[in-house]
């Protein structure tokens, strides 16, 4: 029958409902493959779902569904499930005759309230865990239930999936190969598969059949609905179905599946032999889906529901095909609490009884002692990234270390998180941003090229290749070894190409025979000569390579597949070295450090290394840093670090001695400043700089009264706190001191005055403070303000405000201070200093730690007149201010900004990013304002009435961290996202930031 003739209208549905169930409600259609489903809304209840069959539907099949629901109601104590509503005659299944004279069955079930899985964003691990848990609980509740219809022939039953084989000709090329591969794998596994546990299961936890709670922060799965696909089948198939749909639209579908598997196992314990088949079962559910779609395109082209999951199903299938079925199996095992590799404990027991010597591996070295070398991301030995990428330097350091320990083999590295792997081949985009392979799976033995490597025990060559490429193995040999109980492999990487490729697959190598010799850096993947030695329990299908480095989030699986090689040698020097966990560090801080020292993020991060615009944690995870403007020219900028190291190796003393460096830094700075600002005083921090500036004001004007902006912040010393509204008007503060006078935050977006022409209005607010000071019989000391108010929320000063404010302050005899601690040194892009944006020249400029790129360095620049009045006979001396090391660093920072055109970069990248953020605000009106200059930007989040949205702002910062991007919040209402990265930040970095901002802004919690 034509599909249009089968359809039921909303009015027809409402009429049927009233006649057969005596329920008055409003009907709206729902998707369905076979039944015509309607949501029924009624007053004062959650409502119902009306299900009308197609003509000639099997009543026994519908009876099966109704009895199943009644069984769940009686046995699923912790489950929410639809309940059967009888018709006016008390029947669980009612009957009607349609307009074409066809008998059709009608059922009504209670409506389960909540959100459909497909509408929930984001779908994170906790939610997927709860999906698995609910599916497992339902399987548990269905234990003992059976019905003849549960054993029907059913195309959506994974156990019957080989019906798809005759339809292989519907597919071409890669698609055909993928389908055929999974069909063959499934067919080959039938002997063990058919012996798995079976039961009646729900079998259809797809993204439109799963109901999720309304909690937008921590949602949980509440129920599964639509039991029409329930069937008696292998229990593992039920989990496979849940996984198949919930892993769609993820870059890493296996990672997405693991919480579902773990959740299912907690509610309904899975058996190890079932997990062997889960990978294929997931694939075959997807094969069924795409095959049905291909058939339905021909048979019912107008039924869009039948095609709804075709595209995402293909996307998963193509990704699933690239995943090793063994690795998936081991991952599923670990998710369920089993050892990832089933033979790992047997290997450990076997290895504990063996006694191998390093002199057997390297007979020419004749020593069994080792010296542990730490090459982890936290290692001070490897030094700067530029150093460990310098092979000559690295080899020199190895050789020098070897001379210091001539009777030991330098070794180490098992499970070390390393930052050495800089090739793009070690990176991927995972489910939460960029991930890097950093966890080293073998032990490295650092020995000269040409050193012979011998077999520890008999083995068969399974791989012998030249694994050419940057940071690859070069010459690689893998041997297979057989014990009475199991087989395992040993890997020998970075051999000479000639010695490795001299072997052929199948060659037998006896214990003590030479395998090869260590290669040179020209042939070993561009490494300093060494042997990468690794133990492997499964080759995972590799035939000409094998990972030597893994992703941190997979470490528990990999350390089971690749156990510690030191289990063979039992070297004390190579045993695990304990490092304090983050929890231990936090506990110590809480006990011994001041409570006012806060930590960023709900789950704090331990950072151990910086590189340009990235910070790196102890596991080697890189975070794109949009926060730390202190690392002005990039975290651990090589030239800046080198300048400091070189000078520190010579002398570091105070400015009472002559030294070229203080003059060199002064010269670099004065080149950037207007000629009026010709005198410099060097200090150690922005707080010191502003403290000194206020002292200068008092000396130059003989006045103490300071005018400052609301929510301004100028440092953490006593005098700076006294002029910082951000502090004294905030938590723990007690308001403005007597001699501090605060005018309203000059915020043209949400301040006292809004709009474009507010500069003069806010300047009048400064005048009011001047008048107030005069009314008290005192004079004005100074106005201090940032050119863009940072803690106020990256607030740009209104046009004309600063010039007018300066004019008024100077007319009252006061001085003008520009606090450039946050904004200076080229960050503004258009200008080198923030005050230059406003076409003014301050009397005093304070410059802070960005000048030192993280080193404690700051400067006060002032006019000659101010400097002369400050030099009133009281000497100003600062022990470390202007020391040679600080000055060497500061001069190199300024030179780097100039040489590398970083001010130009701040302009170009900043304007691109600002424009794209403004475009983003068109799609997401929650972004009320985008402001700032260069790489000093702010994004303010508000509702339609401009009310601040602090919770949403905090949510974005935390979720961006999950994607490997660091952001922070500020502003008086904590509703502004600050963007002030190192000014080496690139357009590609900006695009990554925009991509993930768009992604997070689309999440449920962000919707107004």
């Amino acid at each position: 029958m034509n599909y249009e003739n089968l359809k039921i209208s909303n009015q027809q549905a409402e009429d049927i409902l009233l006649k057969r169930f005596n329920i008055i409600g409003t009907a709206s259609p729902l998707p369905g493959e076979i039944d015509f489903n309607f949501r029924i809304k009624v007053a004062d209840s959650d409502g119902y779902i009306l299900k009308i069959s197609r003509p000639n539907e099997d009543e026994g099949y519908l009876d099966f569904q109704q009895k199943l629901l009644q069984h769940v109601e009686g046995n699923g104590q912790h489950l929410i499930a639809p309940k059967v509503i009888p018709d006016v005659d008390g029947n669980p299944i009612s009957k009607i005759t349609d307009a074409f004279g066809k008998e059709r069955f009608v059922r009504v079930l209670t409506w389960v309230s909540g959100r459909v899985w497909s509408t929930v964003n984001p779908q994170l691990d906790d939610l997927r865990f709860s999906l698995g848990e609910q599916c497992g609980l339902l399987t548990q509740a269905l234990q003992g239930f059976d019905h003849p219809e549960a054993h029907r022939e059913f195309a959506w039953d994974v156990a019957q999936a080989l019906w798809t084989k005759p339809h292989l000709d519907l597919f071409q090329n890669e698609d055909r190969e993928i389908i055929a591969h999974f069909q063959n794998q499934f067919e080959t596994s039938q002997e063990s598969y058919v012996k798995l546990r079976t039961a009646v299961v729900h079998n259809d936890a797809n993204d439109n059949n799963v109901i999720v709670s309304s909690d937008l922060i921590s949602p949980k799965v509440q129920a599964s609905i639509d039991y029409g696909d329930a069937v008696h089948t292998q229990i593992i198939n039920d989990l496979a179905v849940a996984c198949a749909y919930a892993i769609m639209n993820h870059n890493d579908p296996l990672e997405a599946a693991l919480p579902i598997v773990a959740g299912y196992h907690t509610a309904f314990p899975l058996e190890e032999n079932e997990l062997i088949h889960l990978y294929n079962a997931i694939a075959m559910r997807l094969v069924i889906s795409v095959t049905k779609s291909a058939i339905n395109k021909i048979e019912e082209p107008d039924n869009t529901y039948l095609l709804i999951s075709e595209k995402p199903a293909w996307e998963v299938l193509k990704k699933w095909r690239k995943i090793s079925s063994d690795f998936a199996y081991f991952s599923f095992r670990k998710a369920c609490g089993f050892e990832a590799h089933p033979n790992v404990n047997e290997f450990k027991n076997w290895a504990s009884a063996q006694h191998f010597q390093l002199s057997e591996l390297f007979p020419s070295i004749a020593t069994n002692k080792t010296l542990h070398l730490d090459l982890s991301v936290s290692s001070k030995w490897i030094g700067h990234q530029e150093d460990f990428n310098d092979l000559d330097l690295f080899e020199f350091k190895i050789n020098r270390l070897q001379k210091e320990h001539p009777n030991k083999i330098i070794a180490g590295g098992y499970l070390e998180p390393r930052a050495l792997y800089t090739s793009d081949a070690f990176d991927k985009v995972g489910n939460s941003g960029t991930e890097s392979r950093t966890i080293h799976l073998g032990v490295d033995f650092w020995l000269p090229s040409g050193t012979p490597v011998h077999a520890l025990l008999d083995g068969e060559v399974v791989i012998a290749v030249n694994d050419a490429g940057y940071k690859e193995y070069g010459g690689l040999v893998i041997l297979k070894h057989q014990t009475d109980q199991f087989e395992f492999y040993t890997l020998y990487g970075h051999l000479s190409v000639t010695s490795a490729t001299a072997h052929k697959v199948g060659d037998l190598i006896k214990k003590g025979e030479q395998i090869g010799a260590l290669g040179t850096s020209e042939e070993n993947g561009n490494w300093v000569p060494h042997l990468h030695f690794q133990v492997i329990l499964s080759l995972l299908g590799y035939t000409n390579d094998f990972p030597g480095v893994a992703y941190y989030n997979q470490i528990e699986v990999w350390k089971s597949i690749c156990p510690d090689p030191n289990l063979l040698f039992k070297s004390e020097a190579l045993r695990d070295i304990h490092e304090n966990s983050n929890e231990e560090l936090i506990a110590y801080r809480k006990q011994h450090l001041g409570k006012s020292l806060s930590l960023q993020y709900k789950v704090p991060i331990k950072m151990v290394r910086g590189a340009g615009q990235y910070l790196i944690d102890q596991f080697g995870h890189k975070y794109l840093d949009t926060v730390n403007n202190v690392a002005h020219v990039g975290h651990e900028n090589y030239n800046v670090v080198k300048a400091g190291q070189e000078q520190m190796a010579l002398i570091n003393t105070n400015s009472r001695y002559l030294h070229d460096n203080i003059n060199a830094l002064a010269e670099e700075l004065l080149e950037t400043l207007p000629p009026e600002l010709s005198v410099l005083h060097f200090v150690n921090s922005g707080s010191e700089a502003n403290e000194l500036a206020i002292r200068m004001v008092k000396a130059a004007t003989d006045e103490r009264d300071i005018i400052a902006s609301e929510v301004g912040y100028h440092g953490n010393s006593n005098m700076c706190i006294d002029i910082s509204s951000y502090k004294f008007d905030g938590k723990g503060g007690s308001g403005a001191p007597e001699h501090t006078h605060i005018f309203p935050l000059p915020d043209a977006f949400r301040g006292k005055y809004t709009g474009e022409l507010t500069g003069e209005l806010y300047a009048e607010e400064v005048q009011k403070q001047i008048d107030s000071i005069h009314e008290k019989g005192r004079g004005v000391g100074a106005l201090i303000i940032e050119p863009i108010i940072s803690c106020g929320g990256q607030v740009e000063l209104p046009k004309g405000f600063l010039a007018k404010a300066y004019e008024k302050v100077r007319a009252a005899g006061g001085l003008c201070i520009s606090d450039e601690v946050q904004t200076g040194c080229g960050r503004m892009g258009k200008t080198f200093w923030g005050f230059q944006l406003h076409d003014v020249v301050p009397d005093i400029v304070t410059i802070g730690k960005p000048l030192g790129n993280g080193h404690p360095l700051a400067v006060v620049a002032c006019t000659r007149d101010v400097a002369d009045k400050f030099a009133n006979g009281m000497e100003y001396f600062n022990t470390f201010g202007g020391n040679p090391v600080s000055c060497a660093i500061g001069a190199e920072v300024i030179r780097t900004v100039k040489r590398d055109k970083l001010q130009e970069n701040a302009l170009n990248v900043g304007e691109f990013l600002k424009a794209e953020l403004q475009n983003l605000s068109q799609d997401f009106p929650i972004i009320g304002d985008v402001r700032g200059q260069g790489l000093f930007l702010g994004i303010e989040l508000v509702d339609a009435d401009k009310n601040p949205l602090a919770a949403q702002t905090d949510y974005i910062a935390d979720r961006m961290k999950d994607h490997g991007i660091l952001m922070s919040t500020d502003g008086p209402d904590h509703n502004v996202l600050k963007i002030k990265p190192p000014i080496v930040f690139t357009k590609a970095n900006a695009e990554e930031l925009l991509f993930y901002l768009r992604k997070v802004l689309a999440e449920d919690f962000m919707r107004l």
Side-chain angles (χ1 to χ4, degrees), residues 562-675:
C562 300
D564 187 355
N566 195 43
L567 292 168
L568 303 177
F569 305 114
K570 303 172 180 62
S571 166
E572 285 296 325
L574 299 182
R575 294 193 187 280
D576 288 343
I577 297 172
H578 173 73
E579 287 191 8
N580 290 328
S581 67
N582 286 8
E583 290 72 23
E584 290 170 314
L585 293 174
I586 292 168
Y588 190 89
R589 282 176 66 113
K590 286 181 177 178
Q591 186 174 0
H592 297 292
L593 302 185
K595 290 184 178 179
S596 59
L597 293 173
S598 64
L599 284 165
Q600 187 82 333
Y601 300 114
K602 294 179 178 68
V603 179
I605 314 170
K606 178 183 177 182
M607 297 300 188
V608 299
R609 184 174 286 272
Q613 58 275 57
Y614 295 96
L615 285 171
I616 307 173
D617 70 13
Q618 74 267 40
F619 309 116
H621 185 190
K622 289 195 303 186
Y623 293 86
L624 180 62
D625 183 4
T626 74
V627 176
N628 290 289
N629 60 323
V630 172
H632 190 60
V633 294
H635 290 284
E636 320 324 314
N637 180 283
Y638 183 67
N639 291 323
V640 173
V641 170
K642 186 178 177 183
Q645 288 174 332
E646 288 177 347
Q647 183 56 52
M648 196 175 294
L650 295 177
I651 189 172
N652 197 27
T653 185
N654 61 63
S655 59
R656 283 182 171 147
Y657 299 103
L658 290 173
H659 199 282
D660 292 333
N661 286 5
I662 195 169
N663 287 9
L665 175 55
E667 184 178 350
E668 292 290 347
L669 281 169
L670 291 171
E671 273 187 16
T672 69
L673 290 163

Side-chain angles (χ1 to χ4, degrees), residues 957-997:
D958 224 56
R959 286 287 292 128
M960 291 295 281
K961 184 204 77 168
D962 295 341
H963 292 294
I965 299 176
L966 303 180
M967 301 193 79
S968 67
T969 65
D970 221 324
D973 296 306
H974 311 290
N975 68 318
V976 179
L977 288 163
K978 298 189 294 187
I979 300 175
K980 48 190 185 75
I983 62 173
V984 294
F985 200 78
T986 66
K987 185 180 177 184
N989 298 145
E991 288 170 339
E992 181 179 357
L993 172 62
L994 289 161
F995 175 85
Y996 286 106
L997 274 174

Side-chain angles (χ1 to χ4, degrees), residues 44-64:
D44 303 322
S45 89
D46 288 336
Y48 306 92
I49 180 169
L50 173 67
K51 301 174 76 69
I52 302 173
S53 75
R54 298 187 181 209
N56 305 316
E57 180 63 84
D58 182 353
E59 186 175 6
Y61 165 61
L62 300 181
D63 178 68
F64 160 52

Side-chain angles (χ1 to χ4, degrees), residues 69 184 221 397 470 622 676 687 699 808 814 822 943 1006:
L69 286 171
N184 293 336
V221 170
K397 289 168 69 175
Y470 182 68
K622 289 195 303 186
E676 294 90 335
S687 295
K808 293 176 185 299
Q822 299 267 7
D943 65 16
M1006 300 303 299

Side-chain angles (χ1 to χ4, degrees), residues 339-539:
E339 285 287 353
H341 198 287
N343 293 338
V344 66
N345 286 328
E346 287 184 87
F347 174 81
K348 289 178 180 178
N349 292 335
W350 174 84
S352 67
Q354 309 302 312
H355 300 282
F356 296 102
Q357 300 290 324
L358 285 174
S359 55
E360 297 176 69
L361 187 62
F362 306 110
S364 65
I365 302 303
T367 182
N368 291 303
K369 295 180 180 179
T370 55
L371 175 71
H372 178 256
L373 176 60
D374 178 12
L375 296 181
S376 73
V377 65
S378 309
S379 169
K380 296 180 178 65
W381 188 90
I382 60 176
H384 196 279
Q385 180 172 313
E386 294 286 331
D387 291 340
F388 63 68
N389 284 332
D390 183 337
L391 289 184
D392 292 337
L393 176 60
F394 198 104
E395 187 163 18
F396 169 78
K397 289 168 69 175
I398 287 283
N399 291 340
R400 183 174 60 187
L401 188 62
Q402 187 69 76
K403 286 179 182 178
E404 293 170 3
H405 303 274
N407 298 319
K408 294 181 178 179
I409 298 174
I410 300 169
Y414 181 64
L415 297 188
E416 265 184 2
R418 292 178 169 180
L420 303 174
Y421 310 106
T422 52
S423 166
D424 291 343
F426 291 88
D427 295 339
K428 72 172 183 179
V429 178
N431 295 339
S432 297
T434 301
E435 299 173 10
S436 299
R437 286 192 290 137
T438 60
I439 305 300
H440 192 254
L441 297 175
V443 170
D444 288 333
F445 296 98
W446 299 90
L447 293 164
S449 61
T451 301
V453 179
H454 291 246
L456 294 173
L457 63 170
D458 295 352
E460 176 188 347
V461 175
V462 293
I463 293 177
V465 296
N466 175 18
D467 182 30
Y470 182 68
K471 299 301 182 185
E472 301 293 349
Y473 285 119
L476 171 67
V477 172
I478 298 181
L479 302 181
K480 181 171 75 173
H481 311 285
Q482 188 72 48
T483 73
D484 292 340
Q485 291 83 30
F486 60 91
E487 64 183 24
F488 70 98
Y489 306 83
T490 52
L491 180 152
Y492 308 82
H494 309 303
L495 302 175
S496 72
V497 172
T498 301
S499 66
T501 56
H503 302 290
K504 292 183 176 60
V505 172
D507 286 353
L508 300 179
I509 295 181
K510 292 292 187 181
K511 176 178 179 177
E513 287 185 12
Q514 183 172 335
I515 298 167
L518 298 188
T520 64
S521 58
E522 288 78 14
E523 62 180 340
N524 74 355
N526 209 46
W527 298 95
V528 170
H530 70 285
L531 175 70
H532 176 98
F533 179 73
Q534 189 168 325
V535 174
I536 303 167
L537 300 187
S538 171
L539 282 182

